[in-house]
Amino acid sequence: MTTPTFRQATPSDTDRCFQIETIAYEGDEAATHEKIATRIAQYPEGFLILEMDGEIAGFINSGCAHEVVMSDEAFKELVGHDAAAPNVVIMSVVLDPAHQGKGHSTRLMRQFIEQMREMGKKTIHLMCKERHVDLYKHFGYRYVKPSPSDHGGMSWYEMVMEL
């Protein structure tokens, strides 16, 4: 089995990340090419890439805030992002479907959590669908509440992890 490698995203990764985001997410929940490019350009430290055999297989991207409002759509474009803020907000956790079911998302999330701890962050926030609540609890996230966000026309649930 090939060992996954992890690294920060660079602008040249935008097309492949957009491709994965588009095929892995349903409906309108996928970030646009422009949003992915913005996230890479403005906060590469919070954009973790997982590679298999030199190809991007998945990624997690995020921003940071002093006060987290999970339903803030503008934040998905990093409006209000402050790299020095203590609270991390995950915007995408995504794996190419060809690499799913092999434990890579677990490796990716564990690596991301460790990097955020090393950076001195205090919390990690995310929104997920109801079917993923227990998965994130497994990593140590705590269920907060149903989100008022209807991003992509779907129901979301807020989770938080204290680091």
Side-chain angles (χ1 to χ4, degrees):
M1 181 178 146
T2 304
T3 303
T5 57
F6 300 97
R7 64 174 176 82
Q8 286 181 343
T10 64
S12 65
D13 298 322
T14 303
D15 290 345
R16 175 67 177 142
C17 289
F18 175 67
Q19 177 187 35
I20 294 170
E21 179 101 0
T22 302
I23 61 174
Y25 281 124
E26 46 187 291
D28 293 334
E29 68 179 309
T32 63
H33 191 276
E34 181 181 17
K35 284 181 183 175
I36 290 173
T38 297
R39 294 170 190 175
I40 291 171
Q42 290 190 19
Y43 194 47
E45 304 88 346
F47 202 121
L48 180 64
I49 299 263
L50 176 143
E51 285 187 341
M52 299 299 296
D53 297 322
E55 179 185 56
I56 298 172
F59 60 88
I60 295 176
N61 62 53
S62 64
C64 296
H66 291 282
E67 301 223 7
V68 175
V69 179
M70 291 301 296
S71 59
D72 181 357
E73 286 296 313
F75 192 77
K76 291 176 175 65
E77 296 177 43
L78 295 185
V79 173
H81 161 74
D82 179 352
N87 305 301
V88 178
V89 178
I90 291 178
M91 293 180 238
S92 296
V93 177
V94 63
L95 205 63
D96 184 314
H99 294 280
Q100 292 176 2
K102 301 173 184 174
H104 298 317
S105 60
T106 296
R107 290 179 192 88
L108 182 60
M109 181 57 74
R110 286 188 177 142
Q111 181 72 24
F112 183 83
I113 292 166
E114 186 55 35
Q115 284 187 202
M116 294 303 110
R117 276 193 181 110
E118 289 172 4
M119 292 171 65
K121 300 302 179 184
K122 302 298 180 207
T123 64
I124 302 175
H125 300 254
L126 61 81
M127 288 192 307
C128 65
K129 294 179 189 146
E130 184 175 24
R131 69 178 181 258
H132 294 128
V133 168
D134 286 339
L135 169 71
Y136 287 112
K137 282 182 178 179
H138 170 77
F139 289 112
Y141 287 87
R142 176 179 49 81
Y143 171 76
V144 178
K145 64 181 181 179
S147 178
S149 174
D150 63 353
H151 177 73
M154 298 174 195
S155 296
W156 297 95
Y157 298 83
E158 296 184 15
M159 309 285 291
V160 65
M161 174 187 285
E162 311 287 332
L163 295 176

